[in-house]
Amino acid sequence: MSRPAAVVGIGQTKHKKKRDDVSLPGLVREAAQRALDDADLTWTDIDAVVLGKAPDPFEGVMMPELSLADALGATGKPIMRVHTAGSVGGSTALVATHLVQTGVHDKVLTVAYEKQAEGNAQWGLAGGRSGGMGAGGIFAPWMRSYMTRSGAPEHIGWMVAVKDRRNAAKNPYAHLQMPDLTIEDVKESPMLWEPIHWHESCPSSDGACALVLTTEDGAKKAPHPPAWVLGTAMRSELGTFPGRDPVRPQAGVECAHEVYDMAGITDPRKQCDVAELYVPFSWYEPMWLEGHDIAGPGDGWRMVESGETQIDGEFPVNPSGGVLSSNPIGASGMLRFAEAALQVRGRAGEHQVPDAKVGLAQAYGGAAQYFAMWVVGATLDAVDQKR
Amino acid sequence: MSAADTAPAEDGPVTMMDYFMQLEYHELLCPVVRRYASQLLEGRLVGHKCPSCGLVYVPPRGYCPICVVETTDADEIVLADKGTVTNYTVVTPVQYYGQEETEPFVRASILLDGEGGMMNLQDIVDVPVDDVHVGMRVEAVWKPPGERNVDEISNRSWGSAEGCIDGWRPTGDPDVPAEQLRDKAF
């Protein structure tokens, strides 16, 4: 990286099952305007726009980056679309970051969204055919494999579901507001894809997220504290091949180590104050804790069970409520990146983790084959101060 | 559409409506997949065995992505139509437009006997969904020759033999111990 980049503006919409009060352009503009307001910038200050969303069939709107250019103030400016399935919100933020770090642009607006109520994601994933099993159906067998391999008891999944929904109750933007959800409720909820219960699954949401990334100079002029981007990494692998380990995909392991190395992190469990991980189904919390070497083999579920990943634990995971509480698919990855940045800026409100200086964010997509991660810090030397 | 769907909304202005469109296209199969499909019609399941690492790809891809070497007809092997369930899930179908499944159904990964080869997203038939388990021995249920088709075979197929194999049914043989299948999650 040639020069530092920082997040100075963060905006998100209220996530809901159906945002029928706004059109698609209205939805993305709502998030973008909030990010600009946070950065105290106007549309004319922006040099370029980077847009991300999940596959077009989810809304049936093809090449939306073109039709949304007006709503995003991008007419006459560079605009590009990033496309990495469910991880897209994360990779979109990374592309915007790299445009700043490499000196191509000084102020970049990046936006990600999904308006699930305008289409049917399961129809889209099935290519319109019968017998579609949804993302949950693809991931469910791997969760069973994780349980068998690690010896995790089944209540771990229920615990993650309850934790994230209670966290979401502290986040006014979160879709699901279930402050009173209990382990019993999760356990008794209908089975969707064995072993995933209804309450262990993400909702279907309309929503958008936006970030403004800028230079060191831009960060000095910003009205609020910046979040410095200390490490970025993306990786992918084939979705199926003989000998693949889908429970701990190699691309996820390598992505994590690259981002740790770049940020100077030697022990993520000790040196990160907060993590926002892409957990659309409860079991992915312990799976990513192990899959990104935050916990040792078989220790991910023990971190959950001991309460270490709760908002007041030693390693809080998804204080925002995570994907389990809001899932505007294309935006879900960027929300992880945005929430980690909010935490180190000290601007997470009621779900703020006290004194968070280093934040880790991750997004994954496809058949758990695309990964995007970043580490953000309250200062450029935030990680050094942890060592 | 039912009459209720088309009746004027009484709860306020219409803000959204369904719009169904149809897009038909014909996907030309690449030679390797075309060969795989023609063999399926003959009642043979074939794959490519990588000449370098020995991993078996079904359907064949024409290359081994791990070794980055080309595989050709010379690397084709006929696979067993018997195998073992290595992993599965029971799917509760979501009733999206075009969904014909109404009851919970199984999608399983099957490790084929002999030379190996893994098939994903396979239906397990002739057995209650609750009885499906890891280690279960199964065999292919072929459609009669005259009823086979390869209409659903695509270049991006995930191990599908749809149109030729109706699913896999238990053979009744003793299970393979689940511990032996732990690294075959796929």
Side-chain angles (χ1 to χ4, degrees):
Chain A
M1 105 179 42
S2 58
R3 59 176 186 174
V7 181
V8 293
I10 298 177
Q12 62 181 294
T13 61
K14 167 67 187 168
H15 311 294
K16 276 178 70 174
K17 184 171 181 58
K18 192 175 192 176
R19 281 292 307 267
D20 53 5
D21 58 319
V22 283
S23 62
L24 235 174
L27 185 78
V28 293
R29 196 169 171 95
E30 184 176 304
Q33 184 65 59
R34 286 175 181 169
L36 289 174
D37 290 348
D38 187 22
D40 196 22
L41 295 174
T42 66
W43 295 98
T44 53
D45 294 320
I46 296 299
D47 300 324
V49 179
V50 186
L51 185 75
K53 75 168 299 297
D56 292 352
F58 288 3
E59 287 95 353
V61 177
M62 300 298 123
M63 295 193 282
E65 65 277 14
L66 304 182
S67 57
L68 292 176
D70 275 353
L72 293 172
T75 309
K77 294 177 184 176
I79 182 167
M80 71 166 88
R81 157 97 176 267
V82 179
H83 204 332
T84 60
S87 73
V88 70
S91 4
T92 304
L94 294 185
V95 170
T97 304
H98 295 162
L99 286 173
V100 172
Q101 288 175 334
T102 53
V104 177
H105 296 296
D106 289 343
K107 296 187 190 72
V108 179
L109 171 68
T110 182
V111 186
Y113 74 91
E114 210 69 53
K115 209 161 187 300
Q116 286 217 56
E118 294 203 4
N120 187 310
Q122 292 233 25
W123 176 90
L125 287 170
R129 295 175 184 182
S130 179
M133 48 201 294
I138 299 292
F139 299 137
W142 304 339
M143 296 178 211
R144 181 202 319 293
S145 292
Y146 170 76
M147 294 163 78
T148 313
R149 199 185 286 187
S150 69
E154 57 181 348
H155 68 257
I156 297 300
W158 310 336
M159 286 181 74
V160 172
V162 169
K163 169 185 71 79
D164 281 7
R165 268 51 175 274
R166 291 192 178 173
N167 287 349
K170 300 176 195 292
N171 175 3
Y173 295 109
H175 174 171
L176 298 183
Q177 296 290 329
M178 301 177 160
D180 304 319
L181 189 75
T182 65
I183 295 275
E184 200 63 20
D185 295 336
V186 179
K187 180 185 172 184
E188 297 303 325
S189 63
M191 192 67 87
L192 291 184
W193 304 274
E194 211 278 327
I196 312 171
H197 292 83
W198 168 266
H199 279 311
E200 292 178 277
S201 175
C202 55
S204 172
S205 315
D206 284 2
C209 181
L211 304 171
V212 176
L213 284 129
T214 188
T215 58
E216 205 163 359
D217 189 44
K220 278 183 193 140
K221 292 175 184 151
H224 303 296
W228 297 97
V229 182
L230 305 180
T232 63
M234 278 187 254
R235 278 286 194 284
S236 65
E237 69 182 36
L238 286 168
T240 66
F241 57 87
R244 179 181 188 227
D245 184 352
V247 179
R248 180 183 154 87
Q250 188 63 23
V253 176
E254 289 178 13
C255 189
H257 283 281
E258 183 178 342
V259 86
Y260 300 152
D261 289 350
M262 198 182 286
I265 288 174
T266 49
D267 183 346
R269 190 165 168 179
K270 284 212 177 74
Q271 292 157 350
C272 296
D273 298 308
V274 59
E276 283 278 341
L277 308 178
Y278 202 99
V279 179
F281 304 100
S282 59
W283 282 98
Y284 268 102
E285 178 169 308
M287 284 166 75
W288 292 140
L289 288 171
E290 292 178 37
H292 297 317
D293 285 345
I294 296 162
D299 256 359
W301 66 265
R302 291 186 173 88
M303 283 178 72
V304 175
E305 190 170 52
S306 69
E308 191 171 338
T309 62
Q310 291 188 13
I311 195 164
D312 56 356
E314 284 293 300
F315 192 89
V317 178
N318 294 329
S320 67
V323 187
L324 272 175
S325 304
S326 312
N327 187 31
I329 308 174
S332 294
M334 191 175 286
L335 285 166
R336 308 282 68 71
F337 282 49
E339 288 288 348
L342 273 178
Q343 291 286 348
V344 301
R345 296 174 78 204
R347 290 171 63 77
E350 230 191 302
H351 64 283
Q352 177 71 45
V353 170
D355 208 29
K357 300 295 183 210
V358 178
L360 172 69
Q362 171 259 24
Y364 84 94
Q369 70 197 103
Y370 305 112
F371 294 88
M373 298 176 82
W374 82 6
V375 171
V376 283
T379 55
L380 278 167
D381 64 351
V383 173
D384 298 337
Q385 296 187 13
K386 297 274 177 188
R387 299 175 66 181
Chain B
M1 271 195 178
S2 68
D5 291 331
T6 52
E10 289 171 15
D11 310 331
V14 174
T15 56
M16 207 182 282
M17 55 191 286
D18 286 342
Y19 173 73
F20 295 109
M21 59 172 289
Q22 196 164 349
L23 177 65
E24 249 184 74
Y25 58 92
H26 180 63
E27 183 179 352
L28 292 176
L29 297 182
C30 64
V32 167
V33 178
R34 206 154 60 225
R35 161 91 186 163
Y36 167 78
S38 71
Q39 293 297 295
L40 270 183
L41 288 171
E42 300 292 324
R44 276 189 298 275
L45 205 46
V46 300
H48 278 187
K49 184 173 181 174
C50 172
S52 171
C53 68
L55 288 173
V56 176
Y57 293 88
V58 48
R61 302 181 188 207
Y63 61 95
C64 170
I66 297 171
C67 303
V68 198
V69 298
E70 188 179 4
T71 62
T72 67
D73 285 355
D75 302 303
E76 182 179 292
I77 55 172
V78 178
L79 303 165
D81 58 359
K82 256 186 172 183
T84 306
V85 173
T86 63
N87 216 337
Y88 71 98
T89 187
V90 179
V91 180
T92 308
V94 168
Q95 298 307 308
Y96 57 80
Y97 182 78
Q99 172 71 282
E100 289 163 14
E101 303 289 344
T102 55
E103 297 303 315
F105 59 93
V106 173
R107 287 290 178 268
S109 296
I110 295 169
L111 174 64
L112 302 175
D113 288 355
E115 297 261 24
M118 291 282 305
M119 295 193 72
N120 281 336
L121 307 179
Q122 298 301 300
D123 200 3
I124 305 294
V125 297
D126 294 354
V127 61
V129 293
D130 292 340
D131 291 351
V132 175
H133 55 271
V134 174
M136 182 184 245
R137 300 277 298 137
V138 292
E139 64 189 4
V141 181
W142 290 90
K143 279 185 188 298
E147 294 173 25
R148 291 175 195 155
N149 72 77
V150 290
D151 300 346
E152 297 298 321
I153 307 290
S154 77
N155 291 315
R156 293 157 295 135
S157 167
W158 285 9
S160 176
E162 206 177 326
C164 292
I165 291 176
D166 276 333
W168 300 71
R169 68 178 161 229
T171 62
D173 297 340
D175 287 352
V176 174
E179 306 80 70
Q180 291 178 18
L181 303 168
R182 271 191 198 175
D183 60 341
K184 303 286 192 298
F186 215 41

